[in-house]
Every structure is written in C-alpha cells, then in structure tokens.
Amino acid sequence: MKLSAIAAFVLASATSFAKTYPVTANALSCRSGPGTSYAVKRTYAKGHQVSISCQTSGTSVNGNSIWDKTSDGCYVADYYVKTGVNGYVTSKCGGSSGGGGGSSGSYCKKLNSAGVNLIAQWEGFVASPKPDPIGLPTVGYGHLCQRKNCAEVKYKFPLSKATAKQLLNDDLPKYTKCLAGYLNSKVKLNDNQWAALTSWTFNVGCGNVKSSTLVKRLNKGENPNTVASQELPKWRMAGGRVLQGLVNRRKAEVKLFKTGSSKQAYPKCQ
C-alpha cells in the first residue's frame, strides 16, 4: 500500500473514533477564525455532532470566550456546543493542553480540605443525575455529565456525600491544570489562595479565567490579597443579573484566599 494511502487510512480511522459533541444552536456558524468577525465557512444544524481538534480563546459569547476548532478546519463558539464542562475539553490550538502558562507542572493538582469543602458547600449535593438551570445534567458536587446518564462516573448512583466528594476530587485536577496554565511562575500562592482561585475557576470556567483581569493582574506581580479582594467580587452575575448566591460565594472565596498559610501550592506544591 502506498504511503499516501496509508496516511489517508490512518487519518480516516482516527477521525472515526474521535469524540464528538452535539450542537445546541439551530444554525451554528463555523467561521474561519475564533470570533464573530470572521467569515462563515459552513453552518451546522442543531444536533449535529462536531469533532473538536483543539480549542482557543476568542470573542466572548454569553460569557464564554472558548472557541472550538472542528475537524472541518473552522471555528465555532463553544457556548453552542454541549461538551458537558465549563472549560477546555482538549488541547489548546497551537500549544499544549490547558493554556500554556509558565508553570513547570509541580503545582498542587488537588486542593486542601478547606477548598474542597468550600466548593461542595456552594455547588450543592445532587445524588443522581439531574438537569441544572440551563438543562445540562449534573451530579454530585457540580460534576457536569459528559455522557448519557453520566455513564463516565465510576461511582454507583445514587451517590452518597462521601462518593460525591471523591468525584469532586477526581474532577479538580482539570481546573487546577488550566489555572496553572494561565499563571506565570512568578506568582506565588499558598494552599488557601490556590483553593479559593480553583473554586472560582470551577464556577466560572477555564475560558473566563484565562481572559480575566484577575489573572492579568497577578501575572503583572500585583499583591495577591489585593487582587483577589478587588477582582473576585466582580464575578457575581449570571443571566445578566446579580445573584446573591454568587455574591456570597465570592465573599467565602475571598475569606479563604486571605486566610494565612505557610504551605505553598503554586508554582510548587509543598
């Protein structure tokens, strides 16, 4: 078999096994670049399954700045693709997975008990898969189902609070990874500061964290306590209105962030 034929066969085989995600918009434009100003190359109907080759940041659509590059070579707003998570599900276009920050990878992948308990408190406990306010099924403490009936979850339903905590701990490394990818190695955070920022990331999604003023200010070397106190409370809106639950969550995150600790979590885990 000629090399070109072999290559074509391998590519076709890889594509056939690639994970796909359903489009939620009635007519989703796939554009030449990651933004609404780019030319429309094709349109996907609602329910069409798209294969995502990589993701990047672009024009924010309803608070989500992630854009997905499909196997067709064009970009769609991640807001209109049901990936089951609020953040990146694959590698970043033109770079490594998670955003390509300055961390060496020795940061804390998981959180201290104060951070885990804070997230659990504000996410709320759901024993069996149940649609959230925008129709995506969730279970445990904020786990967004990625397959029908949350088939990817290895714990038996209904979950106990103990198994829900285990599921949460399984989910957290994805969020610490993207957070670490957006911070440069000059930023120094203790375990309470790291936990508070991961709670925020878990809530608002990796794409929003990447484009945030909070991250930009930390990377410029500003005082972390000052930045967190001023920036976290701004993230209090959903659906165009202020939600008291988010106001209270941000207060709890700021309180944890400013709780002293000698244990470093980023860029190196102690």
Side-chain angles (χ1 to χ4, degrees):
M1 188 181 292
K2 294 183 179 179
L3 289 178
S4 59
I6 294 173
F9 174 76
V10 171
L11 178 61
S13 298
T15 301
S16 66
F17 288 104
K19 187 171 182 180
T20 60
Y21 304 92
V23 169
T24 62
N26 289 325
L28 180 60
S29 296
C30 197
R31 299 176 180 273
S32 60
T36 54
S37 62
Y38 289 90
V40 176
K41 293 298 185 181
R42 62 179 301 161
T43 302
Y44 298 124
K46 185 175 182 179
H48 177 82
Q49 297 284 329
V50 294
S51 177
I52 301 174
S53 58
C54 63
Q55 293 174 293
T56 189
S57 60
T59 305
S60 179
V61 178
N62 292 325
N64 186 343
S65 61
I66 299 175
W67 283 70
D68 307 329
K69 187 175 183 180
T70 75
S71 57
D72 295 311
C74 50
Y75 296 81
V76 294
D78 184 72
Y79 179 81
Y80 298 112
V81 180
K82 189 176 180 180
T83 62
V85 297
N86 291 324
Y88 288 81
V89 295
T90 188
S91 60
K92 190 174 185 295
C93 300
S96 61
S97 176
S103 172
S104 65
S106 58
Y107 60 89
C108 290
K109 308 302 187 295
K110 296 191 176 183
L111 305 185
N112 59 17
S113 59
V116 173
N117 290 337
L118 186 149
I119 294 174
Q121 175 188 350
W122 293 105
E123 290 294 330
F125 173 65
V126 178
S128 297
K130 177 182 178 182
D132 71 1
I134 61 170
L136 294 175
T138 62
V139 74
Y141 294 110
H143 175 85
L144 284 170
C145 301
Q146 299 180 46
R147 297 171 60 188
K148 186 177 180 181
N149 298 319
C150 282
E152 77 279 2
V153 175
K154 61 184 179 182
Y155 307 105
K156 184 179 179 180
F157 298 131
L159 297 177
S160 66
K161 290 188 176 181
T163 53
K165 279 282 185 72
Q166 290 177 314
L167 177 58
L168 174 57
N169 277 306
D170 292 344
D171 286 342
L172 286 175
K174 182 183 74 174
Y175 296 95
T176 54
K177 181 179 181 180
C178 75
L179 178 59
Y182 305 145
L183 296 172
N184 64 45
S185 58
K186 295 181 180 180
V187 178
K188 310 296 182 186
L189 299 172
N190 66 41
D191 60 338
N192 287 330
Q193 294 171 326
W194 184 243
L197 289 187
T198 302
S199 170
W200 168 62
T201 303
F202 190 91
N203 182 225
V204 306
C206 292
N208 285 322
V209 170
K210 183 186 180 207
S211 60
S212 68
T213 303
L214 188 155
V215 165
K216 291 181 176 67
R217 291 179 64 182
L218 287 178
N219 284 338
K220 287 179 181 178
E222 294 189 41
N223 181 277
N225 282 339
T226 300
V227 173
S229 297
Q230 293 176 351
E231 295 296 332
L232 282 176
K234 296 177 181 178
W235 294 84
R236 58 184 183 173
M237 298 184 69
R241 60 192 181 92
V242 174
L243 297 183
Q244 190 58 45
L246 291 180
V247 172
N248 294 340
R249 180 170 183 160
R250 300 289 92 89
K251 286 181 179 179
E253 289 165 351
V254 170
K255 182 179 179 180
L256 177 60
F257 192 99
K258 297 175 74 174
T259 300
S261 174
S262 60
K263 186 176 181 180
Q264 189 181 73
Y266 182 88
K268 186 176 181 180
C269 188
Q270 292 182 341

